[in-house]
């Protein structure tokens, strides 16, 4: 009877957690083992993505011809190609590239002739800041509203929240961004149109000795509240545009999972002990639902980063996404490849962290 | 002895078709959402097909009988939605854009369904090292920002410049590559689940060959959720297409009309308070994505007995007994009604108990 | 019917209760005019098969019906001290919440799902305490520890901090009972409290429930389909059929002289140990002396099956050094509790699970080092009937297509249509009307599907049939019919069979010989008369004594016997 393992039928819709979720069984020490195995899984993921990007990008030819072809004569081009080593066998270049990535060297941009890693460090902070604020918006809006929708299931609050959620993720970030700009910056003139801070604030923050590139922290360091306000007001619209997109996904996710757990026996059992309906949602349904939710949130980081590219372009928020689209315009594929590779590493790492958090929350894994 | 009772009312062939079956099944709010979604989607498809007839001008038309349209003309007169910075008619661009979107959806989803279903079925059914490799690869691709992957693909396919109708193809294929892992995962998970169902084991005990089992038993049951993923992916395809266009990987205005491209060109307009160039293509995206998502979400809810709503009954209504039979069946799960509630060995109410 | 007037002794009064549901198939009336009452400290069993409305009745008592249900009538609940009286159906949400846990509480069927996996059991018990009145954390904790100790959880001070998955199935059910008892409600509704448990554990939980009544003075509404459980625990019995109470009597009377025809039929259908001894003996008589010398269909010699562990961990040994044989035309009954490895053996014989060590010969073919290609031609000689009738048919094919499958696969028919004549014959052999061939599996009931499953297994007239718990998902009366059919077909077709079940009484009806499995080992084997009449192995003795019989007087005696066995170790 117990020997036939039944795989739980995962609902097919949308983005669902990966198969790497921890299995229960096995007592004591399971968690450490799980962390180690899960950590080792990062490497094939990064390897696959980096290799894929390398091979795909190189099928179009060498990056120098792509960037400068037509502008330089054939001789000059060949000289540049040879100097950069792009005339060697592709396998040699591939192995070399993997080695470089391993040591944190992502190559040198063609258009600006700077190391890609330097570009990543300079602009990474801006993207991190945007992603942080957007996640904040997504959590604050998405999770409580998802619980409200589950609580009022099929009633009017639920109906309006579901429409709201669908609107949130049906609206491309660049469109909601443009609308916000139009309304709040152009017509109402209450918030800045674009950028991360006004020029004067940026200048002051540049002078800081211990500047981090995270403007919120830098602004606090200047000790000037006006600068902090300036930085924060600049962040409001981009964070809302990107955050609401993610919030829509979170809302739907929380609602579905909480409704699912509300139908379980243990919720009925708690109800039969006289536990209040509100507490049933908040404690009994939410906490077990959190485990799949967290796993899916990990996958949303990918969505968030994709969205960041569009948001940054819309708001001229000088982060990795903004630079990526600049490099794309300049057809600088070394830089593009570098940024994409770095994002692959970030995605793999954040998924690892999220999976570990999910495992730690689940007592069946912890003990 | 068993009495021959009349078979339960079986729905007509029409009523068992996907979507129509769900339409019958739905109630209240869920039906409202489904109907609204279907109406919007139908409108979108009609617009796409009839664009040449409905649109006042061509997508790349710059001059009418009265001469050049002029750039950034406000809505009104000859141009209901105004004109763009490039001097195109916004209304026509929006209507023609539906055609591009529909074309990309159809190509992208069809290609990814075939590739994804095939890979998922084979991988899930046979397992082994091929399965493991495919799972790791697909998981990696799946976790990666789909827009970035589409960008990379579009660089590969069109070298980053899409100046021909082939650009549409390039966009479609880029999106395909992004979607294959999704279909793969869903079909593989279903295949693995179905593989351990008693009816597949029973076929194995009988000695049915692998191909026969896969085609006759696994494939048809594993693909029951496809309409659902199809709709959810269609909306994602539109968003990805628009995102590509917005980043300059779209289709040149002379080749076809694409909403994302128009929005990209409208960024600078917004700062000077010109709203019509961004609002209408943007709304078009929102409306279409919303319509398709409404259909997809409704299908999802109806497929899941936990999420499905039911008609309210009056007190004292209904006949006693014969509760085990669910006409038409549901997409994924067993009967959701009394079955979940009534304990005992199983939710069966056997005819012979009475005879 | 019982007295409707409220008196001091009545704790629950159900008055003309009706419940309707909205389902996919339209409105269904699950409970229809039920009137019942329960006295203080009394165990009332509500018995019925699936669809009888017993669980719905139980859930109504706590107001736990889903929103799709509409109920009418009255469910009057009196508090333990008799101070308040409430009609559950008419209560406000707030009042209902106060009543649950204090006046009435519930024990669920599946203990592993009735406990929230992410909170400690102590937290869950304390939550129930603190939901009713202000109690300090420390006091609530003390109370939780105390109640865990009283329901027989060892080291309650430590275990109070355990998560549900750290307990065994029987212990989990004790925890669930502790939660129900902690506020000392006057009434506990126990919904199939032992159905998910093994027989030996069931006996312990039934003892605990009896203590609830005797020591706590709690009245119990016991919902069950198992007549043995009723005989063991109930003071009074109400039999439900199709939403109505067809008979109500005290337990002694009901079992000795059932009045309603349905009750009589139900009791007659309950299998009991000793039923098959005569028949098995007759069959043994009829066999020729050379029979014993025939080559067995299946021979297991020191068979060992291990499931691979995850990533270098040692695997789980499901079957450990088992030897047995099945001769042509013989039925071997394989009995064991969950995890005993009985299903694994069945699957290994059918080539669905790999043999790790030892030898397993099926129809002369060695299964150790199994290759599908070399085994395939033998498959036409093996039939398999699966446990779950719900999933044993492809939902997209008609019954006729499914039954024709073996004929088509083994080239006896070109396509399902060509096989139709044979399919009709087979359907008739399993007593299903021919017209059922055109139906889809979900249009058949569980028992009908299981018979179609038999038809499919017998399509090629196999020499060996493996039946893996074919009746455990069925109601008793349906089970009786399927078992009878099985016996008939076995006589007619003369196949050898491995009949796997957790129920000794069921195996006894059919088997020539019985083998008892315990933790992957074969502890006892012999004829029904030997194994059930005078079991030698202590586990078999315990298993046999744990099986409740549908007779209150006899069951009381067996209880003492079990207690003696347990005391002996």
């Amino acid at each position: 009877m117990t020997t036939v393992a039944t795989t739980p039928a995962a609902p097919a819709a949308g983005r669902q957690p990966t198969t790497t979720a921890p299995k229960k069984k096995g007592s004591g020490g399971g968690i450490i083992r799980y962390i180690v195995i899960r950590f080792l899984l990062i490497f094939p993921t990064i390897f696959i993505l980096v290799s894929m990007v390398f091979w795909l990008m190189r099928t179009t030819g060498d990056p120098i011809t792509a960037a400068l072809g037509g502008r330089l004569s054939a001789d000059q081009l060949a000289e540049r190609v040879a100097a950069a080593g792009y005339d060697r066998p592709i396998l040699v270049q591939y192995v070399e590239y993997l080695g470089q990535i391993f040591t944190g060297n992502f190559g040198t941009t063609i258009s600006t002739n700077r190391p890609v890693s330097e570009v990543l460090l300079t602009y990474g902070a801006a993207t991190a800041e945007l992603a942080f604020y957007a996640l904040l918006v997504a959590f604050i809006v998405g999770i409580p509203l998802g619980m409200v929708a589950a609580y009022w299931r099929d009633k009017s609050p639920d109906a309006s929240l579901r429409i709201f959620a669908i609107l949130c993720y049906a609206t491309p970030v660049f469109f909601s961004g443009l609308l916000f700009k139009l309304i709040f910056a152009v017509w109402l003139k209450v918030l800045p149109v674009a950028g991360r801070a006004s020029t004067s604030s940026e200048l002051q923050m540049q002078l800081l000795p211990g500047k981090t590139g995270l403007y919120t922290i830098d602004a606090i360091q200047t000790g000037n509240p006006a600068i902090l306000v300036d930085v924060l007001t600049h962040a409001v619209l981009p964070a809302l545009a990107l955050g609401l997109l993610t919030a829509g996904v979170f809302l739907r996710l929380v609602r579905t999972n909480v409704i699912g757990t509300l139908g379980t026996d243990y919720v009925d059992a708690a109800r039969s002990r006289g536990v209040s309906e509100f507490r049933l949602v908040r404690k009994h349904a939410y906490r077990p639902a959190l485990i799949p939710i967290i796993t899916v949130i990990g996958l949303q980081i990918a969505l968030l980063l994709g969205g960041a590219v569009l948001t940054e372009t819309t708001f001229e928020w000088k982060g990795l996404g903004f630079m990526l689209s600049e490099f794309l315009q300049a057809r600088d594929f070394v830089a593009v490849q570098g940024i994409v590779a770095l994002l692959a590493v970030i995605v793999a790492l954040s998924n690892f962290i999220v999976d570990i958090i999910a495992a730690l929350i689940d007592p069946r894994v912890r003990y | 002895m068993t009495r021959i009772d009349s078979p339960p009312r079986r729905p007509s062939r029409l009523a068992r078709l996907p979507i129509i079956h769900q339409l019958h099944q739905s109630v209240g709010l869920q039906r409202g959402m489904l109907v609204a979604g279907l109406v919007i989607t139908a409108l979108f498809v009609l617009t796409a097909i009839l664009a040449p007839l409905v649109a006042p001008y061509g997508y790349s038309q710059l001059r009418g009988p009265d001469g050049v349209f002029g750039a950034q003309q406000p809505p009104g007169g000859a141009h209901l939605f105004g004109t763009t910075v490039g001097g195109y008619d916004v209304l026509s661009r929006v209507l023609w854009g539906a055609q591009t979107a529909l074309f990309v959806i159809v190509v992208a989803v069809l290609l990814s369904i075939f590739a994804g279903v095939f890979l998922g079925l084979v991988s899930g059914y046979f397992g082994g090292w091929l399965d493991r490799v495919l799972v790791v690869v697909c998981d990696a691709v799946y976790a990666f920002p789909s827009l970035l992957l589409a960008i990379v693909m579009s660089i590969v396919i069109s070298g980053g410049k899409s100046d021909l109708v082939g650009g549409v193809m390039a966009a479609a294929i880029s999106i395909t590559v992004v979607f294959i892992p999704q279909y793969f995962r869903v079909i593989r998970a279903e295949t693995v689940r179905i593989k351990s169902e008693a009816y597949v084991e029973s076929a194995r005990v009988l000695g049915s060959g692998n191909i026969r089992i896969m085609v006759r038993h696994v494939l048809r049951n594993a693909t029951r959720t496809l309409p659902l993923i199809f709709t959810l992916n269609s909306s994602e395809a539109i968003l990805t297409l628009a995102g590509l266009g917005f980043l300059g990987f779209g289709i040149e205005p002379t080749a076809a009309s694409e909403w994302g491209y128009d929005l990209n060109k409208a960024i600078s307009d917004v700062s000077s308070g010109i709203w019509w160039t961004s609002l209408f293509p943007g709304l078009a995206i929102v409306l279409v994505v919303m319509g398709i998502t409404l259909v997809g979400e409704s299908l999802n809810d109806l497929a899941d007995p936990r999420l499905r709503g039911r008609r309210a009954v009056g007190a004292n209504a209904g006949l006693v007994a014969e509760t085990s039979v669910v006409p038409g069946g549901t997409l994924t799960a067993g009967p959701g009604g009394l079955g979940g509630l009534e304990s005992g060995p199983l939710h069966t109410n056997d005819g012979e108990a009475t005879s | 019917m019982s007295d409707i007037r409220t008196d001091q002794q009545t704790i629950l009064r159900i008055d003309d209760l009706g419940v309707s549901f909205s389902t996919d198939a339209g409105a269904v009336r699950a409970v229809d005019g039920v009137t019942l009452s329960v006295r203080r400290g009394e165990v009332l069993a509500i018995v019925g098969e699936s669809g009888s409305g017993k669980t719905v009745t139980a859930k109504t008592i706590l107001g736990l019906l889903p929103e799709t249900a509409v109920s009418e009538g009255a469910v009057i609940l009196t508090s333990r001290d008799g101070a308040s009286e409430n009609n559950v159906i008419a209560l406000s949400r707030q009042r209902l919440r106060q009543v649950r846990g204090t006046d009435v509480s519930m024990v669920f069927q599946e203990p592993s799902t009735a406990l929230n996996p992410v909170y400690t059991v102590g937290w869950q018990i304390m939550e129930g305490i603190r939901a009713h009145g202000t109690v300090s954390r420390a006091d609530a904790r003390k109370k939780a520890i105390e109640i865990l100790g009283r329901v027989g959880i060892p080291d309650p001070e430590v275990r109070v901090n355990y998560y549900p998955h750290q307990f065994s199935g029987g212990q989990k059910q004790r925890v669930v009972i502790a939660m129900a008892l902690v506020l000392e409600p006057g009434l506990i509704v126990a919904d199939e409290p032992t159905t998910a448990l093994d027989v030996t554990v069931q006996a312990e939980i039934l003892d605990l429930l009896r203590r609830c009544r005797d020591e706590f003075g709690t009245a119990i509404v016991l919902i069950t389909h198992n007549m043995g459980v009723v005989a063991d625990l109930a003071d009074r019995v109400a039999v439900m059929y199709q939403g109505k109470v067809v008979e109500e009597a005290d337990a002694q009377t009901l079992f000795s002289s059932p009045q309603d025809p349905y009750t009589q039929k139900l009791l007659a259908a309950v299998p009991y140990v000793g039923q098959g001894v005569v028949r098995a003996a007759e069959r043994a008589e009829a066999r020729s002396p050379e029979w014993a010398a025939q080559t067995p269909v299946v021979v297991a010699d020191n068979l060992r099956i291990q499931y691979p562990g995850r990533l270098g961990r040692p695997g789980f040994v499901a079957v450990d050094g088992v030897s047995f044989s099945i001769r042509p035309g013989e039925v071997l009954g394989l009995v064991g509790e969950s995890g005993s490895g009985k299903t694994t053996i069945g699957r290994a014989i059918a080539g669905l699970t790999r043999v790790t060590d030892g030898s397993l010969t099926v129809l002369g073919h060695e299964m150790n080092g199994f290759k599908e290609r070399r085994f395939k031609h033998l498959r036409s000689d093996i039939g398999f009937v699966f446990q779950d009738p719900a999933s044993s048919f492809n939902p997209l094919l008609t019954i006729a297509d499914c039954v024709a499958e073996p004929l088509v696969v083994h080239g006896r028919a070109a396509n399902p249509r060509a096989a139709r004549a044979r399919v009709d014959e087979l359907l008739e052999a399993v007593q299903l009307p021919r017209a059922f061939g055109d139906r889809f599996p979900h249009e058949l009931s569980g028992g009908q599907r299981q018979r179609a499953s038999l038809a499919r297994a017998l399509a090629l007239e196999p020499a060996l049939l493996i039946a893996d718990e074919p009746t455990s998902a069925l109601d008793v009366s349906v089970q009786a019919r399927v078992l009878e059919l099985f016996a008939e077909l076995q006589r007619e077709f003369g196949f050898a069979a491995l009949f796997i079940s957790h129920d000794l009484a069921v195996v006894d009806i059919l088997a020539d010989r019985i083998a008892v499995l315990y933790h992957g080992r074969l502890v006892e084997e012999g004829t029904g008369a030997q194994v059930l009449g005078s079991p030698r192995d202590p586990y078999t003795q315990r298993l046999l004594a744990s099986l409740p019989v549908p007779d209150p007087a006899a069951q009381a005696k067996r209880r003492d016997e079990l207690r003696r066995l347990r005391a002996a170790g």
Side-chain angles (χ1 to χ4, degrees), chain C residues 1-18:
Chain C
M1 292 282 150
S2 61
D3 193 1
I4 298 303
R5 280 175 299 115
T6 315
D7 58 57
Q8 281 302 302
Q9 284 310 307
T10 308
I11 194 133
L12 172 73
R13 218 179 68 220
I14 299 177
D15 230 353
D16 199 22
L17 176 71

Side-chain angles (χ1 to χ4, degrees), chain B residues 101-340:
Chain B
L102 183 67
F103 182 76
V104 170
I105 290 179
V106 170
V107 175
V109 172
L110 278 186
L111 287 179
S112 42
I113 280 185
F114 280 116
V117 168
F118 176 75
L119 287 177
L121 194 65
V122 171
S123 181
Y125 185 79
F126 289 107
W129 63 269
L130 177 76
D131 178 48
R132 265 173 240 168
V133 170
L134 277 174
V135 166
V136 172
V137 170
C138 282
D139 273 0
V141 174
Y142 182 72
F144 197 66
S146 54
L147 184 65
L148 293 189
L149 198 64
I151 290 173
V152 172
M153 281 313 297
S154 126
I155 291 174
V156 173
I157 293 166
S158 61
K161 43 179 188 281
S162 19
D163 40 7
L164 288 169
V165 182
V168 180
M169 227 31 216
I173 294 174
S174 316
I175 294 167
T176 302
V177 173
V178 177
F179 285 166
I180 287 176
Q182 297 189 19
Y183 286 94
F184 170 83
R185 288 163 58 100
V186 172
I187 297 297
R188 183 187 170 276
E190 275 291 284
T191 305
V192 168
R193 181 182 69 79
I194 290 169
K195 213 175 96 177
S196 63
E197 292 267 327
Y199 61 84
V200 172
E201 302 230 295
S202 150
R204 281 172 64 199
V205 174
L206 293 176
S208 299
N210 284 327
I211 306 279
R212 186 181 170 87
I213 295 179
M214 265 182 12
V215 174
R216 196 168 167 82
H217 298 296
V218 182
L219 179 65
R220 279 182 64 202
N221 283 298
T223 49
R224 291 174 119 192
T225 45
L226 276 188
L228 168 65
I229 326 166
F230 173 82
T231 47
L232 292 178
N233 272 359
S234 305
S235 48
E236 228 182 300
I238 294 186
L239 290 176
T240 310
L241 174 71
L244 279 177
F246 185 75
L247 289 176
F249 282 87
I251 295 136
E252 291 295 314
T254 45
S257 167
E258 203 274 304
W259 297 326
Y261 173 89
D262 288 358
L263 277 170
N264 175 298
K265 295 295 163 213
I267 302 183
S268 49
D269 293 353
V270 165
S271 309
S272 45
I274 295 171
W275 52 271
W276 57 90
T277 50
S278 53
L279 185 69
F280 295 114
L283 280 184
I285 299 176
V286 174
L287 199 68
V288 173
V289 174
M290 208 170 118
I292 300 177
T293 311
L294 279 172
V295 177
E297 291 235 328
S298 310
L299 291 184
N300 185 37
D301 283 10
L302 291 170
D304 190 339
R306 293 174 312 177
L307 297 175
R308 188 172 350 130
R310 290 197 177 78
R311 284 177 191 84
V313 283
N316 230 337
L319 298 166
V320 180
E322 250 73 53
T323 59
S324 65
V325 173
V326 182
T330 56
L331 267 176
T332 51
L338 277 173

Side-chain angles (χ1 to χ4, degrees), chain A residues 190-276:
Chain A
V190 286
L191 290 167
V193 181
R196 293 180 66 197
S198 58
T199 323
S200 60
S201 314
E202 270 190 333
L203 277 175
Q204 284 200 40
M205 285 188 284
Q206 286 299 325
L207 298 174
L208 278 174
K211 68 174 158 52
T212 54
L214 301 166
Y215 277 14
T216 316
I217 292 174
D218 289 351
I220 294 170
Q221 281 187 9
T222 61
N224 184 345
I227 294 182
L228 184 63
V229 170
D230 182 56
V231 165
L232 290 180
T233 49
H234 273 85
V236 172
L237 291 184
L240 268 185
L242 185 53
L244 283 181
L245 168 81
T246 321
V249 181
F250 283 11
L251 198 165
R252 176 182 184 277
L253 194 66
V254 171
R255 174 186 180 274
T256 313
N257 278 291
V258 169
I259 286 179
T261 40
L262 273 177
T264 53
D265 273 1
Y266 53 77
V267 169
D268 246 6
R271 191 176 280 132
S272 80
R273 296 196 293 273
V275 175
S276 71

